[in-house]
Amino acid sequence: PGVYMQPDGQATVTVWGPLLESVEMVGSPEMPMQVPLQKKEYGYWQGQTVLPPGQRYKFRLNGKEAFPDPASLSQPEGVHGYSEVLDRSFLWTDEGWTGIAQEELILYELHTGTFSDTHDFEGVAERLPYLKKLGITAIEIMPVNHFPGSRNWGYDGVYTYAVHGAYGGLHGLKRLVNAAHNEGIAVILDVVYNHLGPDGNYLAEYGPYFTSRYKTPWGKALNFDDAWCDGVRNYFVQNVLLWLEECRIDGLRLDAVHAMWDYSAHHIMQQISEAVQALEDATGRKKILIAEIDLNNPRYISSVSAGGYGLQAQWADEFHHALHSILTGETNGYYEDFGQMYHLEKSFRDTYVYDGGYSAHRKRMFGASAQHLPYSKFVVFSQNHDQVGNRLLGDRLSATLSPAQLQLAAAAVLLSPHIPLLFMGEEYGEKNPFLFFVAHEKEDLVEVVRKSRREEFAYFQFEGDFPDPQSEQVFLSCVLGHDCKKEPVARQMFEWYQQLISLRKTRPAFNNFERTAVNVWPVDEVERVL
Amino acid sequence: PGVYMQPDGQATVTVWGPLLESVEMVGSPEMPMQVPLQKKEYGYWQGQTVLPPGQRYKFRLNGKEAFPDPASLSQPEGVHGYSEVLDRSFLWTDEGWTGIAQEELILYELHTGTFSDTHDFEGVAERLPYLKKLGITAIEIMPVNHFPGSRNWGYDGVYTYAVHGAYGGLHGLKRLVNAAHNEGIAVILDVVYNHLGPDGNYLAEYGPYFTSRYKTPWGKALNFDDAWCDGVRNYFVQNVLLWLEECRIDGLRLDAVHAMWDYSAHHIMQQISEAVQALEDATGRKKILIAEIDLNNPRYISSVSAGGYGLQAQWADEFHHALHSILTGETNGYYEDFGQMYHLEKSFRDTYVYDGGYSAHRKRMFGASAQHLPYSKFVVFSQNHDQVGNRLLGDRLSATLSPAQLQLAAAAVLLSPHIPLLFMGEEYGEKNPFLFFVAHEKEDLVEVVRKSRREEFAYFQFEGDFPDPQSEQVFLSCVLGHDCKKEPVARQMFEWYQQLISLRKTRPAFNNFERTAVNVWPVDEVERVL
């Protein structure tokens, strides 16, 4: 779907709308044009035309109201405005790059808007040499698809195909990927395929993108298995290819795939993994799909031939919970299921802490064993955007732990037999928080967000003032304070991270992902460090 | 769960109620008693007492209202009345019986209430010699668990553990199973684990048996994966063992398992199949789990080691649809996806007609290939209770087809490489219909049923008077007219069925369930028969 324009202006326009009676492409008042589309098979509408670059357009549905393109590549006027046709050509200079082996991943999660003072991809690109010096092998970028307003974590995106202009748009993303590859750094992109944001989401005007069969905590569930779901599935599969093929991104971090409800015989995760496998086969470039998932179900990351869905890896949040609860002594919320050394040991050894046993927090037996899968299929961390940002004050571990404890946490992650992930700034003990922030344009929505955050923290039983997610100050307070790296404590921490990464890369013991290679060793390691 | 009484009257009383504050067993006014239960782990309540056989009881919850036992074995006063403690001892005489191989199944589906003029298990047992003469190897009994009123297909049951008294109760069922085994006939029982009936369902008073995560067309979805689901899962697993272990039933036909929503890492189908495997291993008696399922997802019937849920077989409704639409020319409802010889050929060869292709009726791609599984994992039929009964007039094929066409249909099923299932009466061309009937006690519920049937037939676009599901006459009109078997046409038909079954049993070609053994052969066979 979307508008595919050749360099000569020849454009193919495709829209999915199986229940519509007519679809017409219409220009903005400044760039008037109109092209009626023809109905094709399976609910698609198509037309050919010639367009100038930068054509602004919407689609008029059933001769009535016109809406932005669900597959828009650019929304220069915001989520409610006209879509923009882009020249997609790009001069790549990464020709030698063939991707990175899964086992070599050392991930660095960053939020484009708060990583640098310019709040954009260029600000990230400028610090690639710094990240190379640190030693990480891949950056993992929080969602960049177009969201309402100029500040957002990215999970309120409503244009799955459009890179937010504030970050630098599609072209800016390609430039960052190209630059990263030239530094020998892979790029993983966080994508949200389980819901769409609350403002500027016009998908339902076009077709049955959503289903009432299931619910998600963040918005209507996407229709992956109900009538007409093929168009929805294809919308996301093509989006995967936009990132991995056109933008040459090395892999995706798929947000909360447990909320991508699908009871069909061909799970959408499997469809996506098969499409990516075909791309890898065709291009010879390694691609990696990493799921965020809260099911402790190894099926998602098992091979298709073993009855799985074929994803390469998943986040292992339980490792974080086990580590965090021991380091901080916190026992509220889901931490009630953790807090003993036993949990951390189990996570080091078996990855899933709950692999069939009773979880008091969930009030049921939970999970299945993952012991038949290698450690390299699991990403572990002591902090990430959620674990920091979903605290009332967005406080990092550095706000409460001593440098020695922080070093211990870093060692636990970077010398873990699993794949390590760092959260931007932790490598030098960044003190600035990472708070939840938005810049919604609808006042009632702002109130909804404030209310839901308050309710969330009623549960967590924190005390203190309530930072306003809508405030620009809150956003600015989260921007990394790179200057502090000059301080001795920060420098020492950075060197510690460098050493651990170097150790991980050079010692064979840290490159063995077989289950048999690991025992209770991590606990001894911890004592040695202290 | 439930009351387990020893012959000496010593009884263990177990109730699941994780959110209750107190549970007390109380007798009926005629048989007063009371025993407070103690709270145990995982939400169970338990007590020991001595009871007379036939003790009537309820459970008083939180010191307030008292309700019948969710695991009641007998409801002599109906769905709202007191539960009854049963003496469960039974003198079995089937000691040589070790079950039946899945490949030898020739199933005969029957409804206990309409199979004979006595409307009960004894009426079935009396005709076991007749069924043996026919040659079938297993009877499949429509659900027998306690439903509201005295007439029901069985899918409105509200006491999963209680056999309806009108049929002969738990003891009567055991007598039928024992008698069948002594005739060399296996027994498959239809069980409903996807919803409970609309009247007399007190489960929610006891605990979170239901979830709002999912919906079913027939009532609230059961809680197989939400908080507290372990007690619900155990309720059904223990019920499986009641039938297969205590009642020595040879297998279950699991109703509509696609509505047993479970997104956990250990699917309830897998949990059940593992429990049954353990029982088989312990007793040496072969057990068979057959799913009714509308997903065309081979995972359910694949082995656990291959990433499946481990059920032995499933109904293949598409074979019916392909055959029925060709025989009758009907194209309404789901028949729009069938009607060409191609569909029947594909079902003979590949079983699933939709194994990934586009279904116009479902408006999406549907299913996955089952070609790696043997034919013996699929049950086919030209008629069954649903396919006959869910027609406005409950008319069997015999109402519209010629004897030659009926013989053709029988050959298509009985000489199919799949497992054949007959619907009671078809073996002699029974003319009486099989209509939908209930005997609800609540007038508003009767109206709901009437209305929903009318809506169903608005969709199917039949014409004619509307038979009242609540009418006793409707029920009686469905009782098999065994006398008609004496007529020449009926006798000829019965002999035809006998011959086909004999052919199936004796010719090696009809006992090869490998995919490679079959080609377009069935169509030639059909021509030969005509």
Side-chain angles (χ1 to χ4, degrees):
Chain A
V3 179
Y4 276 73
M5 192 177 63
Q6 306 298 323
D8 63 358
Q10 288 283 344
T12 303
V13 183
T14 309
V15 172
W16 180 70
L19 304 174
L20 297 174
E21 280 153 30
S22 74
V23 180
E24 190 183 23
M25 184 178 183
V26 294
S28 65
E30 299 78 19
M31 303 180 79
M33 50 105 29
Q34 59 185 70
V35 180
L37 306 188
Q38 309 303 317
K39 186 149 199 180
K40 306 286 178 180
E41 277 195 309
Y42 303 119
Y44 287 94
W45 298 78
Q46 215 161 48
Q48 303 285 338
T49 184
V50 178
L51 297 171
Q55 172 72 51
R56 306 279 170 106
Y57 69 102
K58 287 188 177 185
F59 293 114
R60 186 175 306 288
L61 308 183
N62 295 340
K64 295 177 187 160
E65 201 173 344
F67 299 97
D69 183 0
S72 165
L73 292 175
S74 173
Q75 289 293 121
E77 303 164 28
V79 296
H80 304 291
Y82 284 89
S83 302
E84 181 186 26
V85 176
L86 289 191
D87 173 4
R88 302 165 83 143
S89 57
F90 184 83
L91 198 65
W92 291 94
T93 64
D94 72 340
E95 292 311 332
W97 180 259
T98 56
I100 180 176
Q102 179 167 350
E103 292 73 15
E104 291 171 16
L105 282 174
I106 300 172
L107 293 156
Y108 184 92
E109 187 188 33
L110 64 86
H111 177 263
T112 304
T114 52
F115 182 73
S116 76
D117 293 335
T118 55
H119 315 300
D120 59 9
F121 295 133
E122 284 216 42
V124 178
E126 275 173 24
R127 287 211 173 78
L128 286 169
Y130 162 78
L131 294 172
K132 191 175 184 182
K133 202 172 83 181
L134 172 60
I136 58 101
T137 60
I139 53 173
E140 179 172 315
I141 306 174
M142 286 173 66
V144 300
N145 48 316
H146 204 105
F147 45 77
S150 56
R151 309 181 299 271
N152 199 284
W153 278 15
Y155 304 96
D156 290 327
V158 282
Y159 291 89
T160 308
Y161 288 58
V163 180
H164 203 294
Y167 289 169
L170 182 66
H171 211 76
L173 178 62
K174 288 176 182 174
R175 268 202 303 267
L176 174 57
V177 174
N178 194 52
H181 289 174
N182 280 312
E183 291 284 359
I185 292 176
V187 179
I188 306 289
L189 182 66
D190 192 347
V191 292
V192 186
Y193 294 162
N194 54 65
H195 77 285
L196 270 89
D199 187 27
N201 168 11
Y202 294 107
L203 268 60
E205 305 288 343
Y206 283 85
Y209 277 90
F210 301 97
T211 175
S212 59
R213 274 196 186 186
Y214 312 110
K215 289 175 262 190
T216 87
W218 318 285
K220 281 190 176 176
L222 283 150
N223 172 17
F224 292 118
D225 67 4
D226 215 343
W228 299 113
C229 66
D230 299 334
V232 184
R233 295 167 71 109
N234 185 52
Y235 176 80
F236 290 103
V237 171
Q238 296 306 320
N239 186 254
V240 167
L241 298 178
L242 168 65
W243 306 129
L244 300 192
E245 188 173 13
E246 179 170 335
C247 295
R248 302 198 179 181
I249 284 171
D250 300 286
L252 301 176
R253 181 265 192 192
L254 299 150
D255 184 64
V257 304
H258 48 272
M260 294 174 69
W261 297 100
D262 183 0
Y263 233 70
S264 77
H266 192 213
H267 196 284
I268 180 67
M269 287 291 98
Q270 185 179 338
Q271 188 176 346
I272 286 175
S273 83
E274 287 166 350
V276 171
Q277 185 62 56
L279 175 67
E280 195 177 299
D281 293 346
T283 61
R285 287 206 169 103
K286 177 78 189 155
K287 304 290 181 185
I288 302 171
L289 296 173
I290 307 170
E292 183 205 22
I293 182 161
D294 183 31
L295 291 174
N296 283 12
N297 185 349
R299 187 180 304 288
Y300 285 75
I301 52 172
S302 298
S303 67
V304 171
S305 62
Y309 300 150
L311 303 180
Q312 277 70 43
Q314 70 156 91
W315 277 24
D317 284 48
E318 289 186 328
F319 178 93
H320 166 270
H321 302 341
L323 181 61
H324 182 94
S325 57
I326 284 171
L327 288 171
T328 64
E330 290 175 15
T331 58
N332 46 8
Y334 45 70
Y335 294 128
E336 72 169 296
D337 272 353
F338 302 88
Q340 305 297 318
M341 273 310 289
Y342 159 81
H343 297 120
L344 186 57
E345 274 185 51
K346 182 155 172 61
S347 192
F348 264 108
R349 196 178 53 240
D350 303 336
T351 312
Y352 293 155
V353 175
Y354 289 87
D355 54 6
Y358 187 79
S359 152
H361 181 66
R362 298 173 191 270
K363 301 187 176 22
R364 64 183 191 89
M365 313 246 254
F366 186 69
S369 172
Q371 290 190 48
H372 55 296
L373 297 174
Y375 289 112
S376 49
K377 283 187 160 288
F378 299 91
V379 176
V380 298
F381 36 81
S382 69
Q383 309 185 58
N384 69 28
H385 76 274
D386 259 331
Q387 301 303 341
V388 173
N390 283 330
R391 300 171 69 82
L392 175 61
L393 301 176
D395 48 319
R396 298 159 173 268
L397 287 179
S398 58
T400 42
L401 300 188
S402 69
Q405 286 176 306
L406 294 176
Q407 291 187 350
L408 170 59
V413 168
L414 285 167
L415 304 184
S416 156
H418 305 88
I419 298 293
L421 175 140
L422 310 179
F423 181 55
M424 61 174 195
E426 74 164 87
E427 73 275 15
Y428 59 87
E430 171 66 62
K431 296 283 185 188
N432 287 349
F434 187 72
L435 288 153
F436 186 70
F437 47 79
V438 295
H440 285 315
E441 288 152 354
K442 286 184 175 170
E443 191 52 38
D444 55 344
L445 185 56
V446 173
E447 276 314 308
V448 167
V449 171
R450 285 177 179 143
K451 184 161 171 287
S452 89
R453 298 297 289 183
R454 274 198 204 96
E455 283 168 6
E456 189 171 341
F457 292 113
Y459 172 68
F460 267 96
Q461 295 172 335
F462 280 96
E463 287 175 13
D465 280 344
F466 185 76
D468 183 5
Q470 182 74 8
S471 148
E472 191 182 2
Q473 275 315 306
V474 161
F475 168 77
L476 290 174
S477 75
C478 298
V479 177
L480 293 190
H482 292 280
D483 285 348
C484 75
K485 277 180 282 193
K486 292 168 194 154
E487 292 166 22
V489 180
R491 228 175 40 229
Q492 266 184 15
M493 187 65 73
F494 183 82
E495 282 163 13
W496 176 248
Y497 272 80
Q498 273 187 316
Q499 283 166 18
L500 289 171
I501 290 173
S502 166
L503 203 60
R504 182 177 184 90
K505 285 178 170 173
T506 52
R507 295 289 175 88
F510 300 123
N511 280 289
N512 188 335
F513 296 94
E514 296 304 313
R515 293 274 160 186
T516 48
V518 174
N519 209 325
V520 240
W521 159 90
V523 177
D524 297 348
E525 178 67 18
V526 159
E527 281 164 2
R528 190 182 61 76
V529 169
L530 288 172
Chain B
V3 180
Y4 277 74
M5 191 176 64
Q6 306 298 324
D8 65 356
Q10 289 283 346
T12 304
V13 182
T14 310
V15 171
W16 180 70
L19 304 173
L20 297 174
E21 280 154 30
S22 75
V23 180
E24 191 183 22
M25 183 179 185
V26 294
S28 64
E30 299 77 19
M31 303 180 79
M33 51 100 37
Q34 59 183 70
V35 179
L37 305 187
Q38 309 303 315
K39 185 147 199 182
K40 305 286 179 181
E41 276 194 311
Y42 303 119
Y44 288 94
W45 298 77
Q46 215 161 47
Q48 303 286 336
T49 184
V50 177
L51 298 171
Q55 173 72 51
R56 307 278 170 106
Y57 70 103
K58 289 188 176 183
F59 292 114
R60 185 175 307 289
L61 308 183
N62 295 339
K64 296 178 188 158
E65 203 174 344
F67 299 97
D69 183 358
S72 165
L73 293 175
S74 174
Q75 289 293 122
E77 303 164 26
V79 297
H80 304 292
Y82 285 90
S83 302
E84 181 187 26
V85 176
L86 291 190
D87 173 4
R88 304 165 81 141
S89 56
F90 183 83
L91 198 63
W92 291 94
T93 65
D94 72 339
E95 291 310 332
W97 180 261
T98 55
I100 181 176
Q102 178 167 348
E103 291 74 15
E104 291 170 16
L105 281 175
I106 300 174
L107 293 156
Y108 184 92
E109 187 188 34
L110 64 86
H111 176 263
T112 304
T114 53
F115 182 73
S116 76
D117 294 335
T118 54
H119 315 301
D120 59 8
F121 295 134
E122 284 217 40
V124 178
E126 275 172 24
R127 287 211 171 78
L128 287 170
Y130 162 78
L131 294 172
K132 192 175 182 179
K133 204 173 79 181
L134 171 61
I136 58 101
T137 60
I139 53 173
E140 179 171 315
I141 306 173
M142 287 172 64
V144 300
N145 49 315
H146 205 104
F147 45 77
S150 56
R151 309 180 298 270
N152 199 284
W153 279 14
Y155 304 96
D156 290 327
V158 283
Y159 291 89
T160 309
Y161 287 57
V163 179
H164 203 294
Y167 289 169
L170 182 64
H171 211 73
L173 178 63
K174 288 177 181 173
R175 269 201 302 267
L176 173 57
V177 174
N178 194 53
H181 288 175
N182 279 312
E183 291 283 0
I185 291 175
V187 180
I188 306 289
L189 182 66
D190 192 347
V191 292
V192 186
Y193 294 163
N194 54 63
H195 76 286
L196 271 89
D199 187 28
N201 167 10
Y202 294 108
L203 268 61
E205 305 288 344
Y206 284 85
Y209 277 91
F210 301 97
T211 175
S212 58
R213 273 195 186 188
Y214 313 110
K215 290 176 260 189
T216 87
W218 317 284
K220 279 189 176 176
L222 282 150
N223 171 18
F224 293 118
D225 67 4
D226 214 343
W228 301 111
C229 66
D230 298 335
V232 184
R233 296 169 69 109
N234 185 53
Y235 176 80
F236 289 103
V237 171
Q238 296 304 319
N239 185 254
V240 167
L241 298 178
L242 169 65
W243 306 129
L244 299 191
E245 187 173 15
E246 180 170 333
C247 296
R248 302 199 180 181
I249 284 172
D250 301 285
L252 301 177
R253 181 265 191 190
L254 300 150
D255 184 65
V257 304
H258 49 271
M260 293 174 70
W261 296 101
D262 183 1
Y263 233 71
S264 78
H266 192 214
H267 196 285
I268 180 66
M269 287 291 97
Q270 185 179 341
Q271 188 176 348
I272 286 175
S273 82
E274 287 167 348
V276 171
Q277 185 62 54
L279 175 66
E280 194 177 298
D281 293 346
T283 61
R285 287 204 169 103
K286 178 77 190 156
K287 304 290 182 185
I288 301 171
L289 296 174
I290 306 172
E292 183 205 22
I293 181 160
D294 183 31
L295 291 174
N296 284 11
N297 185 349
R299 188 182 301 288
Y300 284 75
I301 52 172
S302 297
S303 67
V304 171
S305 63
Y309 298 152
L311 304 181
Q312 277 70 42
Q314 69 155 90
W315 278 23
D317 285 49
E318 289 186 327
F319 178 93
H320 166 270
H321 303 340
L323 181 60
H324 183 94
S325 58
I326 283 171
L327 288 171
T328 64
E330 291 175 15
T331 58
N332 46 7
Y334 45 70
Y335 293 127
E336 73 168 295
D337 272 353
F338 301 89
Q340 306 297 318
M341 273 310 292
Y342 160 80
H343 296 119
L344 186 57
E345 275 185 49
K346 181 152 171 67
S347 192
F348 264 107
R349 196 177 52 240
D350 302 339
T351 312
Y352 292 156
V353 175
Y354 289 87
D355 55 4
Y358 187 78
S359 153
H361 181 66
R362 297 173 192 270
K363 299 184 176 25
R364 64 185 192 88
M365 312 245 255
F366 186 70
S369 172
Q371 290 191 47
H372 55 297
L373 297 173
Y375 289 112
S376 50
K377 284 187 159 288
F378 299 91
V379 176
V380 298
F381 36 81
S382 68
Q383 311 187 56
N384 68 27
H385 76 275
D386 259 331
Q387 301 303 341
V388 174
N390 283 330
R391 300 172 68 82
L392 176 61
L393 301 176
D395 48 320
R396 298 158 174 270
L397 287 180
S398 57
T400 42
L401 299 189
S402 70
Q405 285 176 308
L406 294 175
Q407 290 187 349
L408 170 59
V413 169
L414 284 166
L415 304 184
S416 156
H418 305 88
I419 298 294
L421 175 140
L422 309 179
F423 181 55
M424 60 173 195
E426 72 164 88
E427 73 274 16
Y428 59 86
E430 172 66 63
K431 295 285 186 189
N432 287 349
F434 188 72
L435 287 153
F436 187 71
F437 47 78
V438 295
H440 284 316
E441 289 151 353
K442 285 185 176 167
E443 191 52 38
D444 55 345
L445 185 55
V446 173
E447 276 315 310
V448 166
V449 171
R450 286 177 180 144
K451 183 158 172 289
S452 89
R453 297 296 289 183
R454 276 199 204 95
E455 284 169 5
E456 191 170 340
F457 293 112
Y459 172 65
F460 268 95
Q461 297 171 332
F462 281 93
E463 286 175 13
D465 279 346
F466 186 75
D468 183 4
Q470 182 75 7
S471 148
E472 192 182 4
Q473 277 312 311
V474 161
F475 167 76
L476 291 174
S477 75
C478 299
V479 177
L480 292 191
H482 292 280
D483 285 348
C484 74
K485 277 180 283 192
K486 292 168 193 155
E487 292 165 21
V489 180
R491 230 175 38 228
Q492 267 184 13
M493 187 65 74
F494 182 82
E495 282 163 14
W496 175 250
Y497 271 81
Q498 272 186 316
Q499 283 166 19
L500 289 171
I501 290 174
S502 168
L503 204 60
R504 183 177 183 91
K505 284 177 171 174
T506 53
R507 294 287 174 88
F510 300 123
N511 279 287
N512 189 336
F513 297 94
E514 296 304 315
R515 294 273 160 187
T516 48
V518 174
N519 209 325
V520 239
W521 160 89
V523 177
D524 297 345
E525 179 69 16
V526 158
E527 281 165 3
R528 187 181 64 77
V529 168
L530 287 172

